[in-house]
Amino acid sequence: MDRIDALRLFCSVAELGSFTQAAEREGITPGAASKQITALETRLQARLFERTTRSVRLTDAGTALRDRVRPWLDEYDALEEGVADARSAPAGLLRVSAPVDFGPRKLMRPVADFMKQWPGVEVRLTMGDRMVDLVNEGFDVGVRIGNLPDSALIARQLAPACMSLLASPDYIAAAGAVTHPAQLAHHDVIIDRNKPAPQQLRFAREGEVQEVRVNGRLTLNGAVAAVAAASAGVGIACSPSWAAEEALADGRLVELLPDWQPEHRDLWAVFPSSRYMTHRVRLFVDHLAKAFAEGI
């Protein structure tokens, strides 16, 4: 167990970049933490960290060890927790990745409710639009929106993330009404680079499918930014309905082509493996499925 504890401490130092913070997490003194890492380096005959008075960073050997040990520790923790009574209260750290726009607007309430229900669970929520590597970056769960590429990850669909075609009343008054998807080729459409094919829009109506290539003077990244730009009259946005709720409610935006449904992008929970899923991860994914059962 002392070697497992040393490896766990090593991963904490690598993650936090600090012996002091890692020692606090593991419940030992900074001096004891330094001695354990030194002993681990001696046993492995490799220097794992470059230490200065201001920073601690991994060496190449340390990076290679972290990449191999972190998944193994996660699997060990899952096995150990699986032996315990699954009916017991979950505890420990839950590392979650989520999109930067969706996190504050729609995910925080379910996360807060989960933490209230299970006070022994600590959540570390990282929000960003980069497609993180869950395994190598140490995440337990990723919340993602879109069509998932083939991968070794396990995915659970939580809800459809419906899209809407949106514009401000002032834009429509100046540029003219849109009565068919093909007309979008002649309008200023806000290009959201977060989409896999931002200039190719696909619509469906009663079995009929229309695809149109669009252009616009404004290119950005992010659903909330696209909605804000459309509200300011810059152009037409094709954005998730959840991002436009307030702007639609107060009249800053109106929905265009309501009979035509833009191609939706589903909400997913993804995780590295279901074989040794920890109790807290399983409960969290079930909690999200329930929270979004009626859509987003």
Side-chain angles (χ1 to χ4, degrees):
M1 290 302 295
D2 60 331
R3 294 191 178 188
I4 293 175
D5 290 341
L7 290 173
R8 196 183 305 281
L9 172 64
F10 160 76
C11 287
S12 290
V13 176
E15 179 183 343
L16 300 172
S18 166
F19 276 86
T20 300
Q21 293 179 35
E24 182 178 355
R25 174 190 288 182
E26 302 302 326
I28 58 178
T29 66
S34 181
K35 288 180 180 179
Q36 284 194 39
I37 296 300
T38 298
L40 180 62
E41 290 177 322
T42 300
R43 185 161 59 245
L44 297 176
Q45 297 183 356
R47 188 171 183 83
L48 302 176
F49 294 102
E50 295 290 352
R51 306 167 175 84
T52 70
T53 56
R54 294 187 176 183
S55 67
V56 176
R57 65 179 183 86
L58 287 165
T59 62
D60 290 344
T63 299
L65 180 64
R66 179 204 60 193
D67 290 347
R68 296 189 66 180
V69 165
R70 182 70 266 174
W72 179 86
L73 279 175
D74 290 341
E75 185 169 301
Y76 175 83
D77 289 342
L79 282 168
E80 188 178 63
E81 190 167 342
V83 173
D85 185 358
R87 294 171 297 179
S88 62
L93 178 63
L94 182 65
R95 294 154 295 195
V96 182
S97 168
V100 69
D101 284 340
F102 185 78
R105 289 191 170 227
K106 289 294 181 178
L107 189 61
M108 288 311 305
R109 173 53 59 189
V111 168
D113 291 343
F114 183 80
M115 296 178 70
K116 290 175 184 176
Q117 184 177 1
W118 305 113
V121 176
E122 174 189 352
V123 176
R124 181 165 299 141
L125 178 60
T126 300
M127 290 176 284
D129 291 326
R130 178 178 62 88
M131 188 67 75
V132 301
D133 185 328
L134 296 185
V135 175
N136 289 329
E137 296 183 49
F139 287 99
D140 299 301
V141 182
V143 177
R144 293 179 177 172
I145 300 175
N147 299 316
L148 298 184
D150 293 336
S151 72
L153 297 175
I154 308 300
R156 180 171 175 180
Q157 185 179 356
L158 301 175
C162 295
M163 307 287 286
S164 296
L165 195 67
L166 308 159
S168 71
D170 287 345
Y171 175 87
I172 295 301
V178 179
T179 59
H180 191 274
Q183 295 174 337
L184 293 171
H186 307 292
H187 278 267
D188 256 328
V189 177
I190 298 162
I191 308 301
D192 184 353
R193 295 196 310 273
N194 275 4
K195 298 176 183 176
Q199 291 184 260
Q200 198 72 25
L201 300 183
R202 181 184 176 94
F203 299 85
R205 181 183 68 176
E206 298 178 353
E208 181 184 0
V209 175
Q210 288 282 332
E211 291 192 20
V212 57
R213 180 171 178 81
V214 298
N215 293 283
R217 292 179 296 151
L218 177 62
T219 299
L220 44 71
N221 63 308
V224 172
V227 167
S231 299
V234 174
I236 297 172
C238 187
S239 296
S241 301
W242 57 262
E245 290 173 342
E246 295 177 3
L248 285 168
D250 63 22
R252 284 177 289 146
L253 291 177
V254 294
E255 185 177 2
L256 309 180
L257 303 179
D259 293 337
W260 290 88
Q261 176 58 55
E263 187 173 20
H264 71 265
R265 308 167 68 205
D266 293 329
L267 176 68
W268 301 85
V270 295
F271 33 93
S273 173
S274 60
R275 185 181 179 190
Y276 298 125
M277 189 190 298
T278 63
H279 189 32
R280 60 184 175 273
V281 170
R282 191 181 304 278
L283 286 175
F284 182 68
V285 172
D286 288 345
H287 178 80
L288 292 184
K290 184 177 180 180
F292 296 118
E294 297 182 2
I296 56 176

